[in-house]
Amino acid sequence: MTLATATKRSARGTPGRGAADHGAWFLVLPALIPILVLSVGPLLYGIALAFTDSQAGRTEPTQWVGALNFQDLLHDTLFWDSFRIGLLWAFGVTVPQFFLALGLALLLNQPLRMRWLARALAIIPWAMPEVVVGIMWRLVYHPDAGVLNETLSNLGLGEGKDWLTGTATALFAVIVVGIWAGMPQTTVALLAGLQNTPRELHEAAAMDGAGAWRRFRTVTWPAIKPVALAITALNFIWNFNSFALVYVLTQGGPGGRTRLPMLFAYEEAFRYGQFGYAAAMGCVMVAVISVILAVYLVGRLKGDDEA
């Protein structure tokens, strides 16, 4: 085969390559279409809606108002208060959740008796819908007949408190529920990382005289660090976008002390009918999440380059 023939054949491409590409797209479409219809489409529509004066019950045609909704949002102290509460909630849930899940994963990775039962019990909160979790914890926090107040009273630690309606305790109470509800998936992810760590490395470190902390720092943590960073970033995003759990527990009260940004946007859209303004809030939250993802991805790429 001459060089000219090879060049022409290379330019035409491999025989059947185009058909294979079309076949691959055909296989991807069943998964791609729901994403486009249920995720990308509503996202683009919400972004467009943020630049209009769309309202519920409006008889006049919706008008394009440009960046007016975003200008109003900059001066909306209630929204920025909810944004601050959302950050407190996200950090308050994500950080303790990670350390508690890490400790539980390390425990479940040990050769304990009935370990299978302990692992099954550890993922029970994951199997429960958020609404059910919220209702259950409302009963736990009940001021008169709740398990928590009854226990504190029996231990002589004071009279019962109204945990979910007290301005000083509401945010702390819902953070505790968020930690409990989100621990299973973090534990499972970290446990998977621990089980993929070669046991020979631990044995070699132990033979060199390394203690438990040194083995964790030099062997265990480097092995699970990518999993830990990934699940922490995802947990922060999920927690910042929380809605159902806090809505069932407090509906944003008392006095807005647990009103997360998603709750605030929900109220503006479906209680007050300000669809355009609520869409602008959603755009701000999407921008924040995008920044967090960008920081995470840049950090991962730098870590991969250094490795």
Side-chain angles (χ1 to χ4, degrees):
M1 180 170 51
T2 64
L3 180 60
T5 305
T7 304
K8 291 179 181 179
R9 183 169 296 181
S10 176
R12 288 196 302 267
T14 305
R17 178 66 179 274
D21 290 342
H22 285 92
W25 277 107
F26 181 77
L27 294 173
V28 170
L29 278 179
L32 187 61
I33 290 176
I35 294 175
L36 293 174
V37 173
L38 301 177
S39 297
V40 178
L43 175 63
L44 295 177
Y45 177 73
I47 293 174
L49 199 66
F51 295 92
T52 68
D53 60 353
S54 177
Q55 298 178 9
R58 186 185 179 94
T59 58
E60 300 176 358
T62 299
Q63 301 292 327
W64 183 268
V65 296
L68 182 61
N69 287 325
F70 294 95
Q71 293 176 6
D72 294 340
L73 199 60
L74 288 175
H75 301 92
D76 191 340
T77 57
L78 292 177
F79 172 73
W80 293 112
D81 283 343
S82 73
F83 199 87
R84 176 184 57 82
I85 293 170
L87 291 177
L88 288 174
W89 154 267
F91 279 109
V93 173
T94 303
V95 176
Q97 187 180 90
F98 171 76
F99 286 107
L100 291 173
L102 178 59
L104 183 58
L106 290 170
L107 180 63
L108 295 177
N109 196 43
Q110 301 301 316
L112 305 173
R113 294 181 59 185
M114 304 291 288
R115 182 173 60 177
W116 62 271
L117 179 60
R119 290 180 176 179
L121 293 174
I123 64 173
I124 285 178
W126 199 2
M128 300 173 65
E130 286 187 316
V131 174
V132 176
V133 172
I135 294 173
M136 182 186 72
W137 277 89
R138 281 182 66 91
L139 296 176
V140 172
Y141 284 136
H142 194 278
D144 298 323
V147 176
L148 180 58
N149 282 339
E150 286 289 335
T151 303
L152 293 176
S153 178
N154 292 334
L155 293 176
L157 298 178
E159 299 296 327
K161 294 182 178 181
D162 202 348
W163 297 92
L164 294 177
T165 58
T167 56
T169 58
L171 184 58
F172 173 77
V174 296
I175 285 176
V176 170
V177 181
I179 293 172
W180 182 84
M183 272 186 61
Q185 63 264 32
T186 308
T187 302
V188 169
L190 295 174
L191 183 58
L194 289 172
Q195 291 181 335
N196 287 329
T197 305
R199 188 171 297 275
E200 294 80 7
L201 296 178
H202 288 280
E203 294 174 353
M207 292 180 63
D208 290 339
W213 169 247
R214 186 177 176 186
R215 290 199 304 272
F216 174 81
R217 184 169 53 86
T218 59
V219 178
T220 304
W221 177 248
I224 67 171
K225 184 178 179 180
V227 176
L229 294 177
I231 194 64
T232 302
L234 290 175
N235 281 341
F236 186 87
I237 292 171
W238 289 331
N239 291 327
F240 186 76
N241 287 328
S242 292
F243 173 79
L245 185 61
V246 180
Y247 183 79
V248 174
L249 286 169
T250 64
Q251 296 187 357
R257 295 299 177 94
T258 61
R259 186 188 290 139
L260 306 182
M262 194 63 69
L263 279 171
F264 194 90
Y266 169 82
E267 291 179 352
E268 287 293 324
F270 299 105
R271 178 176 295 182
Y272 305 115
Q274 301 293 331
F275 296 136
Y277 193 53
M281 296 180 187
C283 289
V284 172
M285 287 184 278
V286 169
V288 172
I289 297 303
S290 300
V291 171
I292 295 172
L293 282 175
V295 172
Y296 166 72
L297 292 174
V298 169
R300 283 300 305 272
L301 290 174
K302 288 183 177 179
D304 293 341
D305 291 340
E306 291 175 359

